[in-house]
Amino acid sequence: MNKKIILAAFLTGTLALSSCKTNKTASAKASSETAKSKEKDNGMKPYAKVITKDATTDEGLFKVHQLDDKYYYEIPNNTLKKDMLLVSRIAQIPSNLGGGYMNAGSKTNEQVVAWERFQDKILLKVKSFSEVSLDSAAAIGNSVKVNNYEPTLYAFDILALNPDSTAIVIDVTKFFSSDIPALSGLSSGLRSSYKVRNLDSDRSFINSIKSFPENVEVKQDFTYNASEPPSNGSVGSISLQMNQSMILLPKEPMMPRLNDPRVGFFTVDQIDYSSKALKADEKTYIRRWRLEPKDPEAYARGELVEPVKPIVYYLDPGTPENLKEYIKQGIEDWQIPFEAAGFKNAIIAKDAPTMEEDPEFSPEDIRYSVVRYVASTTRNAVGPSVSDPRSGEIIESDIIWYHNHLRSYRNRYLLETGAANPSARTLDTAPEEIGEMMRQVIAHEVGHALGFPHNMAASFAYNVEDYRDGDFTQENGIAASLMDYARYNYIAQPGDENIRFVRQMGPYDAYAVNWGYRVIPGATTPEAEVETLNKWIMEKAGDPKYKFGRQSSSFDPQSQTEAIGNDPVKASSYGIKNLKYVAENLPDWTSESTNDYDDLEELYGEMLGVWSRYVGHVVTNVGGVNEDLKKPNQSGTVYSNVDKQTQKESVDWLVDNVFETPEWLIDPAIVQNIDYAGYAETMRALQERHLTNLLSLDRIGRLLNAETVATDYYSAVDLFDDTRKGVFQPNGKLDIYQRNLQRAFVDHMSSLMTGEMRRGRSGGYYDVNQSDVRSIVRGELKTLQSTVRSKMRGTSDTITRFHYDDLLSRIDMILNPEK
């Protein structure tokens, strides 16, 4: 080829390449100018004009920039539309806010949010997973979306893009310093109670914002102007510190586990519109931590394996040193039940790191689960948790222990076990015994945080006489589950030896942990697990130690709070026998030791409550319905009425122990040293409470319903007849307690003639006007008229005759209201 031609071709190519580069540079410049022009048109500024060199930056999930008192989020584009959990908690609280049942660490709101871009704004959207389309390809998913439009919590102007346009800068100062109800620690009820007028902006500010790899933590100081604050009334305001935790939820939710009501778990619900069922299919998943074995193969072989990420609880830095040992034991007591599920060291207790060890540590940081020790006079402990609503995965939890709860346990220990337990007969309970009680309470609350609700049937698993057997109680405790409200062994009698009086873990706890937490190899969907989960239940079906009883079953004598043993009449008889011994000795154990009546007064009041609980356990037998949760392939029915003989015996017991005045409760050695009057009123209120409970509309309704399913039953007529005879059996002169109780009976008859059954859960209400209630009450009142007239003729005591005459007038007004 001619060299000139080659040279010309080379020059032409070079010029073309140069022209191409020039055009690209010009194009990029033009594009940049267009972007800048667009930013300007949308109110955006250059990044360096917003986030200046004076800004302090904290790297993490978002970059958080601070300039003087302004805070900016630099939100990466790749986090937009991702699900995040926003949890609002009280970090510091004024005295007595919420009546003492709120504290530092109390959660006030929990919601899933996502950041979304709309034109020149960033929207913070609140998301719900209660109604979903689990089949992403199903066409109905669009209908679910448009019929469940997600509300916008806040809209932010986009101030700038970062230099490479991969992140958006917004100002969050106003958002976190305004009175936004979703972030506020004051509910509408509290605002009304304390007459809150408004947020005082001059005394409210952002305390700090810290960014971590998966979460951002915000602390705000809020002061509200209030006319009636809970404390420091002269200030006329309420100040509290809030903590907002925003954590990125896992991209792939944990595989959920379908709930089975025969095993007790807290749950999350979803309505799946993409289900193949001919309806919107409600799915209920259990709430649980994500535990995955480090060595899946060894786990599948049945070996104990540590989890990839154990559950870790830190102790509040404010925890008294002498109690730390017991709190740690209470947490790690759950290691044994987790071994039943194949995990070792699944749950661990640690001291909170010191400032030197970790200056970033905060109990409010959602990355940490903490046992909070609250300096409060409230007597309580709770175990709340935060979970992913998409799957039920528990993300974090805080156990709350209120300082004065120790007092509750000392008092109940003395009252319920003092007769049979000499070490409980003191106001200065031994530290190791208090520690053991605290250990079990902490373990109970940790159980809630692991996903377990109360199992009120667990204490019904054991025979009453077993509680007097030292070997049995040492091995089995006082309930088949720590999650029952069975605190103490109040059945054991003086002279019984080697008795365990305090609750402990039981066989149900290991069973429930295995059912909820064991990884089922090969199961890749919740539905694929069901066969195995059902098999585990059926293996234990019929054994009362593995039964779950719902706390809401107020009609079921098998599932009662604070009860122990499988025979309420026998258990309460033992309990009251012990309580009589305690009442006789209470002054010696209190005022004689302290030369002060304060403890006597406090314990006497609580003793009345203990007696009342024992009585209530027997009342539940009457009109009682046993609830035994089961599937159709199991024999027997879910609901069965308590047998007639047990109900009759229960009413007779109530007549003997409640309606015949329990005068031992009004011991002059006690009452005349703690109050100048009111003894008769105290007894009246106690007797009336149980009388009206026994003759309540819902109980009568269940007795009426029994006629439809049984041939030999304790009827509503039987109940009224036995109760009336018990209340009106005394002859001759009546004392003030008997007169009060009889008036209470007649007054309650009046309320039954006009009362309406309130709406309750399915089957729990009925039309009283169209039922037999009014006719039974009318018949009872007419019978009572004859009884009262006869008794009136048989007494010469003036006050008793006045009383009977008054009763006749009251009965006449009920039967003839228009006279």
Side-chain angles (χ1 to χ4, degrees):
M1 183 181 289
N2 187 299
K3 290 181 179 179
K4 289 183 178 179
I5 295 174
I6 293 172
L7 179 60
F10 175 76
L11 291 172
T12 301
T14 301
L15 289 170
L17 182 60
S18 175
S19 174
C20 179
K21 285 182 179 179
T22 301
N23 289 340
K24 282 185 178 178
T25 302
S27 175
K29 186 176 181 181
S31 176
S32 176
E33 302 244 356
T34 303
K36 286 180 180 176
S37 173
K38 197 174 224 185
E39 284 185 28
K40 186 176 180 182
D41 291 343
N42 290 335
M44 297 186 205
K45 298 178 181 178
Y47 181 83
K49 293 282 188 181
V50 178
I51 308 302
T52 70
K53 59 181 177 57
D54 297 323
T56 301
T57 300
D58 191 17
E59 301 272 356
L61 177 63
F62 307 146
K63 284 183 180 179
V64 175
H65 307 284
Q66 182 180 2
L67 272 164
D68 297 324
D69 59 350
K70 294 279 190 180
Y71 288 87
Y72 301 87
Y73 278 4
E74 186 174 319
I75 304 175
N77 292 335
N78 61 12
T79 63
L80 295 178
K81 294 191 176 182
K82 288 190 175 179
D83 295 335
M84 299 182 184
L85 196 63
L86 176 58
V87 180
S88 302
R89 278 197 183 87
I90 299 175
Q92 296 193 54
I93 189 170
S95 175
N96 204 41
L97 184 73
Y101 283 91
M102 296 178 71
N103 54 268
S106 287
K107 181 177 66 176
T108 59
N109 201 5
E110 178 183 331
Q111 53 199 325
V112 177
V113 298
W115 301 90
E116 295 184 8
R117 181 168 182 173
F118 176 73
Q119 297 177 356
D120 61 344
K121 291 186 179 294
I122 290 292
L123 308 180
L124 187 58
K125 305 285 284 186
V126 178
K127 303 188 69 176
S128 171
F129 292 90
S130 59
E131 297 186 4
V132 297
S133 174
L134 295 178
D135 182 353
S136 59
I140 199 170
N142 183 64
S143 179
V144 173
K145 183 175 181 180
V146 299
N147 285 286
N148 293 274
Y149 187 62
E150 296 161 348
T152 299
L153 183 59
Y154 205 84
F156 303 84
D157 292 328
I158 299 176
L159 301 183
L161 304 179
N162 71 341
D164 61 1
S165 299
T166 58
I168 294 163
V169 178
I170 60 173
D171 184 347
V172 297
T173 310
K174 185 177 179 182
F175 175 62
F176 285 120
S177 56
S178 300
D179 188 15
I180 297 174
L183 306 182
S184 168
L186 294 183
S187 65
S188 58
L190 291 176
R191 290 169 188 255
S192 176
S193 296
Y194 302 133
K195 293 185 168 45
V196 173
R197 298 189 300 278
N198 61 297
L199 181 71
D200 189 332
S201 58
D202 292 334
R203 292 186 285 170
S204 301
F205 51 88
I206 299 171
N207 186 290
S208 66
I209 302 182
K210 296 180 180 180
S211 191
F212 302 97
E214 293 186 349
N215 60 302
V216 179
E217 303 291 326
V218 181
K219 279 191 177 177
Q220 311 144 284
D221 276 75
F222 285 151
T223 294
Y224 295 87
N225 292 310
S227 300
E228 297 182 9
S231 56
N232 298 312
S234 61
V235 178
S237 62
I238 299 172
S239 292
L240 69 160
Q241 188 178 84
M242 292 297 297
N243 189 93
Q244 311 295 338
S245 297
M246 183 177 287
I247 185 169
L248 182 66
L249 289 173
K251 183 178 180 180
E252 291 296 328
M254 176 186 74
M255 188 179 84
R257 178 159 291 181
L258 286 164
N259 180 58
D260 190 310
R262 294 172 293 178
V263 185
F265 271 88
F266 293 124
T267 59
V268 295
D269 296 323
Q270 290 183 351
I271 296 177
D272 179 16
Y273 284 92
S274 63
S275 169
K276 303 304 180 187
L278 298 178
K279 62 174 184 176
D281 193 9
E282 184 172 350
K283 287 184 166 62
T284 302
Y285 302 124
I286 67 172
R287 294 177 60 188
R288 57 178 181 156
W289 296 78
R290 186 189 293 230
L291 289 185
E292 299 166 331
K294 278 184 180 178
D295 187 341
E297 293 181 358
Y299 186 88
R301 293 194 299 268
E303 298 176 25
L304 285 179
V305 174
E306 290 188 341
V308 174
K309 183 180 179 182
I311 303 164
V312 179
Y313 278 96
Y314 293 89
L315 269 60
D316 191 316
T319 305
E321 287 293 334
N322 64 311
L323 298 177
K324 285 185 176 181
E325 170 191 356
Y326 305 111
I327 294 175
K328 288 180 179 179
Q329 288 174 340
I331 296 167
E332 295 187 348
D333 279 345
W334 283 97
Q335 288 185 356
I336 299 301
F338 271 110
E339 289 181 1
F343 293 102
K344 66 179 178 182
N345 300 324
I347 183 167
I348 300 168
K350 292 183 178 182
D351 289 322
T354 64
M355 181 65 71
E356 292 74 25
E357 292 169 334
D358 184 358
E360 299 289 343
F361 179 84
S362 168
E364 284 76 43
D365 189 334
I366 200 167
R367 293 177 298 166
Y368 305 114
S369 295
V370 180
V371 178
R372 305 293 297 260
Y373 196 96
V374 180
S376 169
T377 57
T378 299
R379 298 186 183 184
N380 200 13
V382 293
S385 62
V386 174
S387 61
D388 183 344
R390 304 171 305 173
S391 64
E393 178 185 357
I394 297 174
I395 304 295
E396 176 267 359
S397 82
D398 284 339
I399 308 302
I400 313 297
W401 174 276
Y402 298 86
H403 178 71
N404 269 23
H405 205 31
L406 291 170
R407 181 89 165 190
S408 297
Y409 277 83
R410 182 209 68 177
N411 289 359
R412 292 281 295 275
Y413 190 54
L414 184 153
L415 294 169
E416 295 188 27
T417 78
N421 179 16
S423 67
R425 301 168 188 170
T426 176
L427 298 175
D428 299 316
T429 310
E432 61 273 15
E433 293 181 55
I434 285 289
E436 176 63 14
M437 297 174 214
M438 185 176 197
R439 171 184 179 176
Q440 301 305 328
V441 179
I442 291 293
H444 177 94
E445 300 307 335
V446 170
H448 286 319
L450 295 174
F452 303 118
H454 290 131
N455 177 6
M456 295 308 187
S459 55
F460 203 83
Y462 300 155
N463 293 321
V464 169
E465 292 300 328
D466 288 337
Y467 289 89
R468 301 188 62 187
D469 183 328
D471 292 341
F472 181 90
T473 59
Q474 293 296 340
E475 181 179 352
N476 298 283
I478 60 175
S481 171
L482 187 67
M483 300 314 296
D484 199 323
Y485 256 4
R487 304 177 198 272
Y488 296 112
N489 181 351
Y490 58 79
I491 289 173
Q493 296 294 294
D496 294 343
E497 298 179 351
N498 192 34
I499 299 296
R500 180 173 178 87
F501 291 98
V502 181
R503 59 184 169 179
Q504 64 183 24
M505 291 277 183
Y508 173 88
D509 299 313
Y511 162 74
V513 169
N514 178 73
W515 190 92
Y517 280 91
R518 178 170 285 278
V519 177
I520 301 176
T524 57
T525 66
E527 289 73 19
E529 296 184 325
V530 170
E531 183 178 351
T532 299
L533 295 172
N534 183 65
K535 176 187 173 187
W536 291 343
I537 294 174
M538 293 304 294
E539 288 173 351
K540 304 295 186 184
D543 188 333
K545 294 191 300 294
Y546 303 101
K547 176 183 174 180
F548 172 67
R550 296 187 291 195
Q551 185 174 4
S552 59
S553 302
S554 59
F555 51 82
D556 183 1
Q558 301 174 116
S559 299
Q560 298 200 71
T561 181
E562 312 282 1
I564 58 173
N566 61 357
D567 183 341
V569 170
K570 195 172 187 180
S572 290
S573 295
Y574 275 134
I576 287 180
K577 186 177 179 181
N578 283 337
L579 212 54
K580 289 178 179 179
Y581 180 95
V582 170
E584 184 179 349
N585 290 279
L586 198 56
D588 290 338
W589 299 345
T590 56
S591 56
E592 292 299 315
S593 301
T594 63
N595 198 31
D596 190 293
Y597 289 116
D598 290 346
D599 288 289
L600 177 62
E601 182 176 4
E602 179 181 327
L603 281 159
Y604 175 71
E606 292 192 31
M607 185 181 72
L608 297 180
V610 172
W611 174 83
S612 196
R613 278 192 292 274
Y614 295 164
V615 171
H617 297 156
V618 177
V619 172
T620 306
N621 271 342
V622 185
V625 179
N626 297 319
E627 181 180 59
D628 296 293
L629 300 172
K630 55 183 66 179
K631 291 292 182 74
N633 63 349
Q634 294 176 260
S635 62
T637 60
V638 174
Y639 297 103
S640 60
N641 296 95
V642 172
D643 65 273
K644 179 178 181 179
Q645 181 180 351
T646 297
Q647 295 194 56
K648 168 67 174 171
E649 288 176 354
S650 297
V651 175
D652 290 345
W653 186 93
L654 292 167
V655 169
D656 293 340
N657 290 275
V658 183
F659 303 147
E660 289 185 13
T661 310
E663 294 186 8
W664 61 272
L665 282 173
I666 313 296
D667 185 347
I670 298 176
V671 296
Q672 288 189 314
N673 286 313
I674 63 176
D675 204 347
Y676 65 90
Y679 327 133
E681 176 59 21
T682 296
M683 181 55 65
R684 185 207 62 77
L686 288 170
Q687 291 180 304
E688 183 197 26
R689 178 192 306 170
H690 294 295
L691 176 67
T692 57
N693 186 17
L694 179 64
L695 299 177
S696 62
L697 284 171
D698 58 340
R699 195 176 313 280
I700 297 167
R702 293 196 297 274
L703 291 172
L704 293 172
N705 185 71
E707 296 186 33
T708 66
V709 292
T711 54
D712 188 26
Y713 53 87
Y714 189 71
S715 69
V717 171
D718 293 333
L719 171 61
F720 276 94
D721 187 55
D722 290 340
T723 304
R724 171 179 44 78
K725 288 176 179 176
V727 172
F728 286 88
Q729 66 181 352
N731 292 310
K733 180 180 179 180
L734 302 181
D735 63 29
I736 190 170
Y737 305 118
Q738 295 164 333
R739 300 195 301 269
N740 283 343
L741 180 61
Q742 291 181 1
R743 275 190 292 270
F745 181 91
V746 173
D747 285 353
H748 188 59
M749 294 297 102
S750 176
S751 68
L752 291 176
M753 287 294 282
T754 57
E756 297 293 337
M757 187 61 197
R758 62 182 181 275
R759 181 170 292 270
R761 73 185 195 84
S762 178
Y765 65 95
Y766 59 102
D767 189 329
V768 175
N769 280 324
Q770 296 296 315
S771 76
D772 289 323
V773 171
R774 312 286 199 234
S775 57
I776 294 172
V777 172
R778 190 176 298 278
E780 279 295 313
L781 287 172
K782 288 183 176 179
T783 300
L784 187 55
Q785 274 182 323
S786 299
T787 300
V788 171
R789 288 191 183 107
S790 174
K791 288 180 177 292
M792 189 175 179
R793 288 193 296 268
T795 182
S796 59
D797 179 65
T798 303
I799 189 64
T800 302
R801 290 182 61 81
F802 287 167
H803 165 70
Y804 285 142
D805 187 58
D806 176 63
L807 288 185
L808 290 172
S809 296
R810 292 183 188 221
I811 293 170
D812 187 54
M813 284 189 287
I814 298 169
L815 293 175
N816 305 287
E818 297 178 359
K819 266 177 93 172

